[in-house]
Amino acid sequence: MTTTPDLWHHYGRVRAERDRGVPGAFRWTWGQDDGPGAEVLGELRGRVVGDLGAGAARQAAHLAVHHEPARVVAVDASPAQYGLATGLFSRLAPRLRIVRSDAVRHLEAARNTYDVLYSVFGAVDFTDPRELLPAAAAALRPGGRLAFATLAHYLNSAPAQPEVVAADIPARTPEGEETTMRRWVLQDRVWVKTLDAAGFTGITVDTFPAASDGPRSAATLLVTAERPGCSGGPSPYRASRVSGS
């Protein structure tokens, strides 16, 4: 039997050794140093919220502590990331629930469960959107909101894809061997088209330029959409649009 290596085994381990606290802020941009915060998600008090590709669950922990949701579910398929998240934040249960699962599989088993779903360079980046986005739409309650941050271009500055096509990017196995994983870096119009095909409405795309010109800096696309239905109203935050993603 072939076991798929956990390509997220090394991610976040160094930070987890020195920083075990709940973040005091929620940031969407790649540099985590600018731009809007949790207000993009709308009112969270009493809502059920899902973090898709939660990693060490730092954003989920922030929401659980600072925004009074009924529950935040932090979903990640990586055994290593699940272990990091539980080690850091299992104490926040039951308001924070940490789940090891493939995002699509989890969403398909959670129809009409969530008021809000989000991804911060998480599962939306690393799962075929033609599978993930319809599953997300079905898992949201009518009027529910999806928000995600994704790369506006590749980290090597290559432009985003004009079609729903993944690229192979560098990764490491738990043993440190070099390999690749698939990442979807798409033009803003492609995200809009794919969200529309999945049944979302009210789609917005905002672009936040990189805060620096470093070799791994990148502009961020912040995308929001809603499942049709009775909504609690739009997010109070709308960024100024910046063209040229």
Side-chain angles (χ1 to χ4, degrees):
M1 178 178 178
T2 302
T3 301
T4 302
D6 183 358
L7 302 184
W8 296 98
H9 177 83
H10 301 281
Y11 185 79
R13 286 184 176 274
V14 173
R15 180 179 177 183
E17 293 174 358
R18 59 177 172 77
D19 180 4
R20 303 186 64 83
V22 175
F26 185 112
R27 288 287 177 260
W28 295 94
T29 56
W30 178 254
Q32 291 289 290
D33 52 8
D34 195 10
E39 66 271 16
V40 171
L41 299 173
E43 176 58 59
L44 298 181
R45 185 178 293 109
R47 304 292 180 89
V48 179
V49 182
D51 184 337
L52 305 177
R58 293 183 184 278
Q59 288 95 349
H62 169 85
L63 297 181
V65 169
H66 294 286
H67 293 271
E68 301 182 44
R71 183 170 67 256
V72 181
V73 183
V75 181
D76 204 291
S78 163
Q81 294 302 303
Y82 174 80
L84 281 180
T86 54
L88 290 169
F89 302 120
S90 60
R91 59 190 168 82
L92 299 180
R95 181 165 284 179
L96 174 61
R97 180 184 171 212
I98 301 168
V99 175
R100 178 186 163 192
S101 175
D102 170 80
V104 174
R105 186 177 301 116
H106 175 80
L107 293 170
E108 289 177 342
R111 295 179 66 87
N112 297 301
T113 295
Y114 288 101
D115 299 296
V116 177
L117 291 169
Y118 72 92
S119 170
V120 183
F121 306 102
V124 172
D125 281 31
F126 297 97
T127 310
D128 190 328
R130 293 164 295 193
E131 298 178 5
L132 181 67
L133 297 181
L140 285 167
R141 294 173 176 148
R145 176 171 298 156
L146 170 69
F148 61 90
T150 186
L151 294 175
H153 54 80
Y154 290 99
L155 294 177
N156 63 5
S157 299
Q161 298 285 355
E163 299 178 359
V164 184
V165 176
D168 291 331
I169 64 168
R172 283 192 297 159
T173 68
E175 295 75 27
E177 297 176 356
E178 294 183 357
T179 185
T180 61
M181 68 172 74
R182 296 198 299 170
R183 186 171 203 160
W184 279 261
V185 179
L186 310 179
Q187 293 180 3
D188 51 3
R189 64 174 183 82
V190 181
W191 283 116
V192 170
K193 182 178 179 180
T194 310
L195 283 160
D196 181 72
F200 284 97
T201 59
I203 302 164
T204 70
V205 181
D206 297 298
T207 304
F208 295 88
S212 70
D213 296 324
R216 290 183 59 82
S217 63
T220 299
L221 294 184
L222 177 55
V223 185
T224 64
E226 293 185 353
R227 178 182 172 180
C230 297
S231 172
S235 165
Y237 184 89
R238 281 293 180 267
S240 299
R241 303 299 165 84
V242 179
S243 62
S245 60

